[in-house]
């Protein structure tokens, strides 16, 4: 079975050492750049590491087919891109339809100075990018940050050239709209400790009592003052509580099946044939 070591090298005891070790070393050399690429798409360090490792494992498992691939880096980036898209299809904090509706209106505009000022602040720019759906964020980052051509973006996303152009156009529009509303958000959360994403990634551990006391205080202060995070916490609590009701097998298993299970698991029940 293939494994990725701490150094990023993939090993497989059953494989031919010389050829496969060379391919594993090539993958290991690509790993740092792949993690950076994954982070630029996801804006999440843990997910970036995970996606990069998964892409490397997939490449190693397909090493026979990839032996003649002329651009392994492009293959790996395309795989990371597709994995990221699969994980974030429900990520729609900024609705595409709403943004396009705004931009179609002759009355719609933004404060250019405010937008550019926000874009000059790394935290603001990263926050705005994080609020874009993954396929549009990816197009913007690949083109405007990494310098890839639209044709290369189309190849990575496995879409036609017009679709890649549309993603880039929409992504840029959504980014400007996100930056334009950033000052309103800053005013609402002025003085609130922790960025929203920093708070949200800790909520699950907070619900399980797995957060240190200083973080608890900062998180609770954030939740008391942030205009957008409390509904998310309430939703997490509500869903968790509903999941707790599934402990009763009768709520998820037909009564006759539940009864057979109880009979089968009770002491002295006859062993199943075979």
């Amino acid at each position: 079975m293939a494994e990725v070591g701490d150094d990023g090298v993939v090993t497989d005891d059953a494989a031919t050492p010389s050829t496969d070790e060379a391919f594993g070393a090539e993958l290991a050399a690509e790993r740092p750049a792949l993690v950076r690429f994954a982070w630029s798409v996801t804006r999440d360090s843990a997910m970036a590491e995970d996606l990069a490792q998964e892409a490397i494992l997939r490449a190693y498992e397909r090493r026979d087919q990839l032996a003649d691939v002329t651009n392994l880096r492009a293959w790996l980036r395309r795989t990371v891109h597709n994995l990221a898209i699969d994980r974030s299809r429900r990520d729609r904090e900024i609705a595409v339809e709403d943004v396009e509706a705004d931009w179609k209106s002759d009355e719609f505009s933004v404060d250019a100075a405010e937008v550019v000022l926000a874009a000059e602040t790394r935290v603001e720019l990263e926050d705005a990018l994080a609020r874009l759906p993954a396929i549009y964020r990816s197009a913007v980052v690949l083109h405007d940050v990494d310098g890839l051509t639209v044709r290369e973006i189309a190849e990575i996303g496995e879409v036609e050239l017009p679709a890649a152009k549309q993603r880039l156009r929409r992504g840029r529009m959504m980014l400007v709209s996100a930056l334009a509303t950033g000052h309103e958000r800053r005013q609402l959360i002025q003085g609130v400790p922790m960025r929203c994403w920093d708070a949200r990634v800790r909520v699950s551990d907070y619900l399980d009592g797995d957060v240190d006391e200083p973080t608890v205080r900062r998180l609770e202060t954030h939740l008391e003052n942030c205009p957008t995070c409390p509904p998310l916490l309430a939703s997490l609590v509500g869903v968790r509580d509903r999941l707790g009701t599934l402990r009763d097998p009768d709520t998820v298993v037909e009564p006759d099946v539940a009864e057979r299970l109880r009979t089968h698991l009770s002491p002295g029940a006859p062993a199943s044939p075979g």
Side-chain angles (χ1 to χ4, degrees), residues 25 33 67 71 78 87 182 201 210 231:
N71 194 337
R78 183 166 59 250
R87 292 194 183 194
V201 296
D210 191 22

Side-chain angles (χ1 to χ4, degrees), residues 47 83-92 133-135 137:
M47 186 180 293
L83 289 170
I85 297 304
D86 289 342
R87 292 194 183 194
S88 59
R89 289 193 183 280
R90 296 182 182 179
D91 177 15
R92 292 294 184 270
I135 59 173
R137 178 174 64 241

Side-chain angles (χ1 to χ4, degrees), residues 2-5 7-12 15-32 56-57 59-61 63 72 76:
E3 295 182 356
V4 179
D7 57 356
V9 176
V10 186
T11 59
D12 188 339
T16 304
S18 57
T19 304
D20 294 341
E21 284 181 3
F23 189 71
E26 186 177 0
L27 290 174
E30 292 290 342
R31 189 175 186 278
I56 287 174
L57 277 173
Y60 192 78
E61 289 167 354
R63 57 192 178 280
L72 179 61
L76 289 168

Side-chain angles (χ1 to χ4, degrees), residues 84-135:
I85 297 304
D86 289 342
R87 292 194 183 194
S88 59
R89 289 193 183 280
R90 296 182 182 179
D91 177 15
R92 292 294 184 270
E93 188 171 336
I94 299 180
V96 178
E97 295 80 5
D98 291 345
V99 171
E100 288 208 327
D102 286 341
W103 282 71
K104 286 177 182 177
S105 171
D106 293 341
E107 288 75 32
F108 176 73
S109 188
V110 297
D111 185 331
E114 187 71 42
V115 170
V116 173
L117 180 63
E120 290 176 350
T121 305
R122 186 182 183 93
V123 171
E124 295 286 344
L125 188 56
E126 289 181 352
D127 180 68
L129 278 169
R131 292 159 59 196
L132 269 60
I135 59 173

Side-chain angles (χ1 to χ4, degrees), residues 32-267:
L34 193 61
V35 171
R36 289 195 297 272
F37 169 73
W39 182 87
S40 71
V41 172
T42 63
R43 322 308 287 186
D44 184 314
S45 298
M47 186 180 293
E49 293 281 351
D50 187 38
L51 293 179
Q53 178 165 313
E54 187 169 348
I56 287 174
L57 277 173
R58 289 191 179 196
Y60 192 78
E61 289 167 354
R62 294 165 175 77
R63 57 192 178 280
D64 292 337
Q65 299 96 306
L66 293 175
D68 298 325
V69 170
T70 56
N71 194 337
L72 179 61
R73 177 170 295 183
W75 189 94
L76 289 168
R77 284 189 171 194
R78 183 166 59 250
T79 300
V80 164
H81 176 273
N82 292 340
L83 289 170
I85 297 304
D86 289 342
R87 292 194 183 194
S88 59
R89 289 193 183 280
R90 296 182 182 179
D91 177 15
R92 292 294 184 270
E93 188 171 336
I94 299 180
V96 178
E97 295 80 5
D98 291 345
V99 171
E100 288 208 327
D102 286 341
W103 282 71
K104 286 177 182 177
S105 171
D106 293 341
E107 288 75 32
F108 176 73
S109 188
V110 297
D111 185 331
E114 187 71 42
V115 170
V116 173
L117 180 63
E120 290 176 350
T121 305
R122 186 182 183 93
V123 171
E124 295 286 344
L125 188 56
E126 289 181 352
D127 180 68
L129 278 169
R131 292 159 59 196
L132 269 60
I135 59 173
Y136 303 109
R137 178 174 64 241
S138 177
V140 171
V141 169
L142 290 176
H143 191 278
D144 295 342
V145 177
D146 291 345
L148 273 65
T149 66
V150 179
R151 188 171 298 280
E152 288 172 327
I153 294 171
E155 292 173 357
I156 288 175
E158 297 183 312
V159 296
E160 297 297 327
L161 187 61
K165 289 182 176 180
Q166 182 188 63
R167 289 181 179 184
L168 180 59
R169 172 178 59 81
R170 285 178 168 177
R172 285 169 167 168
M173 289 179 176
M174 285 187 280
L175 182 58
V176 167
S177 293
L179 288 167
T181 58
H183 69 284
E184 299 173 2
R185 183 176 180 79
R186 285 196 303 276
Q187 291 173 356
L188 289 172
I189 63 173
Q190 187 172 11
V192 177
M194 305 182 76
R195 295 171 57 192
C196 287
W197 177 243
D198 291 335
R200 292 171 187 179
V201 296
R202 289 172 171 79
V203 164
S204 182
D205 288 339
Y206 172 75
L207 293 178
D208 295 335
D210 191 22
V211 181
D212 60 72
E213 188 58 34
T215 303
V216 167
R217 289 195 296 270
R218 294 177 62 225
L219 180 58
E220 289 180 345
T221 302
H222 179 94
L223 293 171
E224 289 171 1
N225 294 276
C226 179
T228 57
C229 287
L232 296 175
L233 175 60
S235 298
L236 287 170
V237 172
V239 171
R240 183 196 61 175
D241 290 346
R242 288 301 302 158
L243 287 170
T245 66
L246 299 183
R247 293 192 186 97
D248 179 2
D250 289 340
T251 64
V252 291
V253 180
E254 293 294 330
D256 59 331
V257 177
E259 183 58 34
R260 290 201 299 273
L261 283 171
R262 292 191 189 95
T263 301
H264 179 76
L265 295 174
S266 62

